Amino acid sequence: MRILALVPGGIGDQILFFPTIDNLKGRYPEAEIDVVVEPRSTAAYRVSKSVDKVIAFDFKDTNGPADWGNLLGIIRDREYDIAMSLGRRFGVGFLLWLTGIPVRIGFDVGISKLFLSNPVALNLDQYAAQMYHDLVKGLGVTDPCPDLGVNVPTADIDWAEAEQQRLGIKDSGYVLIHGGASKLSQKLGVNKIYPVKQWQQIIKDLQTRQPNIPVVIIKGPDDGEFIDSMLAVCNDLKVINPPDIGKLAAIVAGANLMLCTNSAPMHLAVAVGTYTIALFGPSDPAKLLPQNGRSISIKSRTGKIADIPPSDVLEKIWKG
């Protein structure tokens, strides 16, 4: 059996879809499962044990007939038995219909539902991983949604341990901060960056109360300016720069506490079981964090992440 999943969105969306893929792999262990994702999201599958092939396609680009035709050819060549799509746009539904795949599963909204063989009701009022997992109902599967989980390669765990040794944090434990945001978020006008001055107050309090617990900040590819600003006011911070998502997951897994904004590293922290406090601006935490007691959200009262008082964050830290 061959199963294809079309998963538009960023790395966070891919991680939230992992429980669905893992459930399918558990149900059909001999199945080959491939995914079609945007180029920026292919890296997520370094930490998935259930996917066989990752196909890159930019759903958000202005794709012409040749682009869609090329993707259609790739899909037809693989002769899939089942297709599952998170996308609700007309083009995605029409593409699935053109492939001739007999079982086509997606949400029953919009005109694209006309091209589905097995439409599934869309419930937006729930945790996103659960919403994605509802798609398995199109196969008659009623299993509960598994917890988020990732499979970190041994080489990435070894890298993280070496970095912890280099930074002198292997035996002490550490608080991990991710405060940056992707260039795409900034282009879309979505500000997920918590201001440096507020971080400074939180870090100062942490270091005063727990002077033996180092504070480590993650440096991503788009975080250069943010990191420089943080070091200017907290020069004893330790900086770590994981080159891929597997090594990032390993570093997050080793932390005593993760402080972050709504981002892909937040979903990784949930997946590896690290105690996490996440800051939210306009987004609804109930749809992006599970109710598991280890994932704590702080929602801005105004919808602007910058308006969250540091005292609210510290209250959650010390209460936990």
Side-chain angles (χ1 to χ4, degrees):
M1 179 190 292
R2 286 181 171 171
I3 301 174
L4 177 69
L6 279 65
V7 194
I11 285 179
D13 294 291
Q14 311 307 314
I15 297 171
L16 287 165
F17 193 63
F18 281 5
T20 303
I21 300 172
D22 292 343
N23 192 193
L24 289 171
K25 194 66 174 179
R27 275 271 177 169
Y28 311 107
E30 303 303 318
E32 294 182 28
I33 301 178
D34 299 346
V35 293
V36 180
V37 305
E38 294 170 31
R40 64 192 172 107
S41 302
T42 57
Y45 290 89
R46 181 180 180 90
V47 291
S48 171
K49 62 182 183 298
S50 299
V51 168
D52 295 280
K53 183 178 178 65
V54 180
I55 302 164
F57 183 77
D58 196 344
F59 293 97
K60 286 188 168 64
D61 198 6
T62 307
N63 297 297
D67 302 305
W68 288 105
N70 183 52
L71 178 59
L72 179 62
I74 293 171
I75 293 174
R76 279 182 169 171
D77 285 346
R78 296 282 291 171
E79 297 182 348
Y80 294 102
D81 303 288
I82 298 169
M84 186 174 286
S85 176
L86 290 184
R88 290 170 254 164
R89 294 169 58 187
F90 168 83
V92 174
F94 186 53
L95 172 76
L96 287 184
W97 181 73
L98 289 175
T99 63
I101 296 171
V103 179
R104 303 179 304 280
I105 303 168
F107 294 117
D108 64 348
V109 294
I111 195 169
S112 64
K113 69 180 178 182
L114 300 176
F115 302 109
L116 303 173
S117 66
N118 299 36
V120 173
L122 174 63
N123 178 3
L124 294 170
D125 297 323
Q126 58 181 331
Y127 179 39
Q130 176 65 65
M131 180 183 74
Y132 297 162
H133 186 259
D134 283 348
L135 289 173
V136 302
K137 294 177 181 177
L139 294 171
V141 175
T142 57
D143 299 341
C145 180
D147 293 335
L148 248 63
V150 294
N151 184 48
V152 183
T154 301
D156 294 346
I157 296 172
D158 292 343
W159 178 90
E161 290 178 349
E163 283 294 287
Q164 290 166 5
Q165 193 71 47
R166 179 183 68 83
L167 292 171
I169 59 176
K170 187 170 178 59
D171 298 322
S172 63
Y174 52 96
V175 174
L176 192 61
I177 289 176
H178 178 264
S182 68
K183 287 182 179 178
L184 179 60
S185 294
Q186 294 171 42
K187 280 182 180 178
L188 295 174
V190 180
N191 186 0
K192 295 183 179 181
I193 300 178
Y194 192 55
V196 170
K197 287 186 177 180
Q198 278 98 311
W199 279 124
Q200 182 185 15
Q201 294 179 52
I202 294 166
I203 292 167
K204 182 178 179 181
D205 191 89
L206 282 168
Q207 292 175 330
T208 299
R209 297 202 200 191
Q210 296 285 349
N212 297 322
I213 304 295
V215 179
V216 180
I217 189 164
I218 300 168
K219 182 178 182 180
D222 302 327
D223 296 337
E225 183 178 343
F226 173 75
I227 294 293
D228 289 344
S229 298
M230 288 289 286
L231 290 175
V233 297
C234 302
N235 58 15
D236 52 352
L237 282 176
K238 297 179 183 294
V239 179
I240 195 159
N241 185 12
D244 58 60
I245 194 171
K247 296 175 180 62
L248 173 59
I251 284 295
V252 172
N256 300 53
L257 169 67
M258 173 78 154
L259 299 174
C260 60
T261 57
N262 168 24
S263 59
M266 176 189 76
H267 298 300
L268 276 181
V270 173
V272 300
T274 297
Y275 191 87
T276 303
I277 297 174
L279 312 184
F280 286 79
S283 302
D284 183 355
K287 296 179 181 179
L288 294 167
L289 283 178
Q291 300 296 313
N292 61 8
R294 297 188 62 79
S295 306
I296 310 301
S297 65
I298 301 176
K299 174 85 167 77
S300 170
R301 299 178 184 89
T302 66
K304 296 180 180 179
I305 198 166
D307 290 339
I308 296 175
S311 57
D312 286 5
V313 181
L314 291 167
E315 179 184 358
K316 293 292 185 182
I317 291 173
W318 302 121
K319 184 179 179 180

